[in-house]
């Protein structure tokens, strides 16, 4: 399939241009390992040019003095173009990272448009408060108020697993608040980032407000983090890289938000509706072939229903349709690359050596001939919660199932993790649902469902799963700073 998305160029200051070093790298389709297109590799000079363009655009009257309603109109236009080009965006996402198109089209592009519509609505409501001061120097009360002002150049550094969505969770609020952007997408999945740059251009964003630099993570990342002109790093990715960014960013006291890894516990109590619980457990781990930060990768099951859940889950994995992501019947695609497959396999082998019981999977599969980075949906039972397979993020379709006896034990096991991104509870007991959700150390708790996201609901992690929140109006804290103004109006 010929894809006419990239001409190996970068998008800087409103123009498509060759990288100054003229280096390009191929990108491949993980389902069949075929070449898709060449991607420009930005040099330090290119990154600096993108930062300068964003910095100049931030100060330009065209952007700085644009009214909030005008920014809303631009964001609405972006949302409409996303809807117009949804099929192309979904196709690009699916060939780039192996996500079944049935999801990239019906879930991702819809949420993508939602993000721009929602923050278009927010743009004109970013305001401050008047405050009554506590001490006054004279009999006339001073006027004291706050304003929320944009930060300046935002560097958005994004991961491979939801390329367009996790970029737009940064773009939409950042632009609504009046910032400018340099985007560095994941090296393995740049295609929808290129398409989004085209959409921003067509929507009429002023030159330099959005810039795209593709290429090496470390080279571009470090340059962005070190630049004094970049005022904030909005990062989604691994905990390891996130920590290194945060340490480096402190040198310039740069603001940082981190959306990092997870190893989420999904608890099935013996009073759950098991038909629904099995569906949610399946979707919880195998959605996006396990390449999702909130994956319910530790399934805690109360002992009276433990063997039944294992058997029914095993049967349910057979309903997954593994195949070409572009086929709309496919529900389970390839891992993003060979590394991810090898990582899954390494953890499974280690777990079996450590005494886990293999229920299904644990091997590669080849639904499309002898090529493709597919790994079978895998279930490991009797996993020790303290073992590496239960404590480290695998980021693949490997489910660890762990038995428990009491509610207290379930909460203890769930919280015994350095991560705290999400958690799930399956129960028909409403008191238990509230009680357990209040005790779980996680940024997002689902009850009788799993992996449900909404633009209005804040998203982010406890513990080593991150710093800050995306989505909702809470994300505005990440893209604005507060200015307090104190006016002595006595005037003497
Ligand atoms: P990654 O950390 O390898 O890469 C993320 C981004 O950082 C990429 O754009 C990469 O090129 C860039 N990068 C790499 N090295 C860098 C460096 N030294 N300095 C600056 N940037 C650098 O992550 P990934 O493999 O693309 O994504 C998977 C990870 O992302 C998982 O850990 C997953 O849990 C996490 N994730 C978290 C969330 C969340 O919202 N909490 C969402 C999705 C993914």
């Amino acid at each position: 399939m010929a894809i006419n998305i990239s001409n190996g160029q970068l998008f800087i200051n409103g123009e498509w241009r060759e990288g100054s070093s003229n280096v390009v790298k191929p990108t491949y389709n993980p389902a069949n390992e075929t070449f898709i297109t060449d991607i420009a590799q930005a040099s330090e000079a290119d990154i600096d040019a993108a930062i300068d363009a964003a910095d100049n655009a931030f100060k330009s009257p065209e952007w700085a003095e644009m009214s909030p309603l005008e920014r809303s109109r631009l964001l609405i236009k972006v949302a409409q173009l996303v809807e117009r080009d949804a099929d192309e965006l979904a196709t690009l996402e699916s060939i780039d990272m192996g996500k079944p198109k049935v999801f990239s089209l019906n879930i991702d592009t819809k949420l993508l448009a939602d993000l721009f519509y929602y923050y278009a609505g927010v743009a004109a409501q970013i305001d401050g408060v008047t405050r009554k001061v506590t001490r006054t120097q004279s009999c006339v009360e001073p006027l004291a108020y706050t304003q929320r002002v944009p930060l300046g150049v935002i560097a958005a550094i994004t991961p491979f697993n939801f390329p367009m969505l996790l970029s737009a969770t940064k773009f939409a609020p950042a632009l609504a608040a009046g910032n400018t952007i340099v985007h560095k997408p994941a090296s393995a999945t740049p295609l929808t980032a290129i398409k989004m740059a085209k959409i921003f251009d067509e929507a009429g964003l002023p030159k330099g407000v959005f810039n795209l630099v593709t290429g090496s993570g470390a080279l571009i990342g470090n340059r962005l983090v070190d630049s004094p002109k970049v005022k904030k790093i909005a990062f989604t990715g691994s905990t390891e890289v996130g920590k290194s960014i945060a340490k480096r960013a402190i040198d310039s006291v740069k603001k940082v938000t981190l959306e990092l890894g997870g190893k989420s516990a999904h608890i099935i109590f013996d009073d759950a509706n098991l038909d629904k619980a099995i569906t949610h457990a399946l979707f919880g781990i195998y959605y996006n072939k396990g390449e999702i930060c909130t994956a319910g990768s530790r399934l805690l099951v109360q002992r009276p229903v433990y063997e039944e859940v294992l058997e029914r889950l095993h049967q349910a994995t057979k309903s997954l349709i593994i195949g070409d992501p572009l086929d709309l019947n496919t529900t389970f695609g390839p891992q993003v690359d060979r590394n991810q497959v090898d990582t899954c396999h390494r953890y499974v082998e280690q777990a079996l050596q450590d005494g886990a019981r293999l229920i299904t999977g644990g091997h590669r599969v080849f639904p499309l001939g002898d090529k493709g980075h597919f790994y079978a949906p895998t279930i490991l039972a009797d996993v020790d919660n303290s073992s590496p397979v239960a404590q480290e993020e695998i980021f693949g379709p490997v489910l660890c199932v762990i038995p428990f006896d009491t509610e207290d034990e379930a909460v203890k096991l769930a919280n015994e993790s350095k991560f705290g991104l999400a958690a799930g509870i399956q129960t028909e007991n409403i008191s238990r649902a509230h009680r357990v959700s209040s005790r779980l150390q996680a940024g997002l708790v689902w009850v009788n469902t799993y992996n449900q996201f909404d633009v209005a609901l804040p998203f982010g992690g406890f513990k080593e799963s991150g710093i800050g929140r995306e989505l909702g109006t809470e994300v505005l804290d990440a893209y604005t700073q507060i200015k307090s103004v104190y006016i002595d109006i006595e005037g003497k």
Side-chain angles (χ1 to χ4, degrees):
M1 172 179 203
I3 288 293
N4 183 21
I5 181 70
S6 163
N7 36 16
Q9 291 182 325
L10 307 164
F11 187 67
I12 297 173
N13 204 26
E15 289 166 5
W16 290 96
R17 53 169 97 160
E18 310 290 326
S20 61
S21 59
N22 267 322
V23 179
V24 293
K25 270 196 180 170
T27 186
Y28 295 95
N29 180 338
N32 52 24
E33 299 176 52
T34 55
F35 168 82
I36 303 174
T37 188
D38 278 322
I39 300 298
Q41 304 294 296
S43 66
E44 292 192 340
D46 299 323
I47 303 158
D48 290 348
I51 296 169
D52 285 346
D55 190 42
N56 291 335
F58 181 69
K59 294 167 186 156
S60 71
E62 197 185 1
W63 183 244
E65 293 169 18
M66 184 180 281
S67 72
L69 271 184
E70 205 48 46
R71 289 203 300 273
S72 293
R73 276 197 196 96
L74 277 174
L75 292 176
I76 287 170
K77 179 77 184 159
V78 171
Q80 290 168 338
L81 294 175
V82 164
E83 288 176 333
R84 184 196 70 187
D85 293 348
D87 193 76
E88 185 186 353
L89 282 159
T91 302
L92 291 171
E93 198 85 316
S94 291
I95 60 169
D96 213 14
M97 65 80 61
K99 186 192 298 277
K101 188 171 171 184
V102 67
F103 300 134
S104 49
L105 185 63
N106 297 321
I107 298 179
D108 295 28
T109 61
K110 292 198 164 44
L111 281 174
L112 185 65
D114 284 358
L115 278 161
F116 289 101
Y117 282 125
Y118 183 83
Y119 289 103
V122 165
Q125 300 180 53
I126 302 174
D127 53 17
V129 291
T130 53
R131 276 282 153 81
K132 194 167 173 63
V133 297
T134 56
R135 286 174 188 271
T136 54
Q137 306 298 326
S138 67
C139 54
V140 182
E141 255 190 60
L143 175 62
Y145 60 90
T146 65
Q147 294 176 315
R148 274 183 182 272
V149 296
L151 299 171
V153 179
I154 308 293
I157 305 179
T158 54
F160 75 78
N161 64 328
F162 282 81
M164 56 186 170
L165 268 185
L166 294 175
S167 306
T169 54
K170 298 161 184 58
F171 300 163
L175 294 174
N179 300 283
T180 59
I181 296 170
V182 178
H183 181 207
K184 191 272 171 244
S187 316
T189 56
L191 297 188
T192 46
I194 295 169
K195 175 66 188 173
M196 283 308 295
K198 293 181 180 181
I199 285 181
F200 284 132
D201 196 26
E202 185 179 344
L205 229 59
K207 283 185 190 319
V209 170
F210 179 84
N211 306 272
L212 171 68
V213 283
T214 45
S216 150
L219 178 100
I220 301 175
N222 288 344
R223 197 78 178 173
L224 290 170
V225 176
D226 291 346
S227 168
K229 290 182 181 170
V230 173
K231 300 302 179 206
K232 185 225 161 76
I233 305 287
F235 175 80
T236 300
S238 61
T239 297
E240 187 192 352
V241 173
K243 283 181 183 176
S244 75
I245 286 177
K247 283 181 195 152
R248 207 173 169 113
I250 201 67
D251 279 345
S252 52
V253 198
K254 207 175 248 74
K255 291 173 178 53
V256 176
T257 43
L258 302 174
E259 295 286 345
L260 308 177
K263 192 79 189 180
S264 299
H266 189 173
I267 309 170
I268 301 183
F269 287 100
D270 62 4
D271 60 21
N273 175 328
L274 281 194
D275 291 341
K276 290 185 183 163
I278 297 295
T279 303
H280 296 313
L282 194 78
F283 188 66
I285 180 65
Y286 300 126
Y287 178 51
N288 212 35
K289 4 99 187 192
E291 290 171 344
I292 177 164
C293 52
T294 54
S297 49
R298 288 186 299 144
L299 189 68
L300 311 183
V301 184
Q302 202 155 18
R303 222 174 281 271
V305 293
Y306 184 70
E307 290 300 332
E308 182 184 351
V309 165
L310 282 173
E311 175 52 27
R312 291 179 68 173
L313 256 180
H314 181 191
Q315 294 307 323
T317 57
K318 295 177 187 165
S319 67
L320 295 167
I321 301 174
I322 307 177
D324 181 357
L326 289 183
D327 181 337
L328 288 174
N329 292 311
T330 297
T331 54
F332 188 94
Q335 307 310 124
V336 72
D337 58 23
R338 181 62 196 263
N339 270 346
Q340 288 295 126
V341 171
D342 292 344
T343 302
C344 293
H345 200 58
R346 216 175 36 249
Y347 274 103
V348 170
E349 287 193 320
Q350 177 69 53
L352 296 178
Q353 277 173 26
D354 292 346
R357 172 166 50 121
L358 184 66
I359 302 294
T360 186
H363 54 81
R364 296 179 69 187
V365 279
F366 296 94
L368 304 175
D370 62 350
K371 297 267 193 254
H373 305 305
F374 293 86
Y375 197 75
T378 298
I379 301 175
L380 295 166
D382 310 342
V383 173
D384 177 349
N385 191 52
S386 63
S387 64
V389 74
Q391 287 298 313
E392 293 166 22
E393 186 181 47
I394 301 174
F395 222 54
V398 180
L399 179 66
C400 299
V401 191
I402 301 169
F404 70 88
D405 289 305
T406 63
E407 190 178 298
D408 280 350
E409 188 189 358
V411 170
K412 183 168 175 292
L413 286 167
N415 289 340
E416 276 173 1
S417 166
K418 68 178 177 181
F419 297 113
L421 191 56
I425 303 167
Q426 303 295 326
T427 179
E428 294 286 285
N429 178 333
I430 185 79
S431 304
R432 169 173 271 168
H434 285 291
R435 194 166 57 232
V436 175
S437 67
S438 75
R439 296 176 69 194
L440 291 175
Q441 295 161 359
L444 180 52
V445 179
W446 289 291
V447 178
N448 293 339
T449 185
Y450 204 89
N451 275 339
Q452 295 297 323
F453 304 94
D454 191 279
V455 61
L457 199 62
F459 178 80
F462 284 17
K463 301 194 270 188
E464 291 195 22
S465 287
I467 298 175
R469 290 291 176 272
E470 293 197 320
L471 304 181
T473 47
E474 284 77 1
V475 73
L476 295 175
D477 292 342
Y479 293 106
T480 56
Q481 51 196 339
I482 305 279
K483 180 185 285 185
S484 292
V485 180
Y486 183 117
I487 303 177
D488 178 353
I489 55 175
E490 194 182 23
K492 289 185 183 157

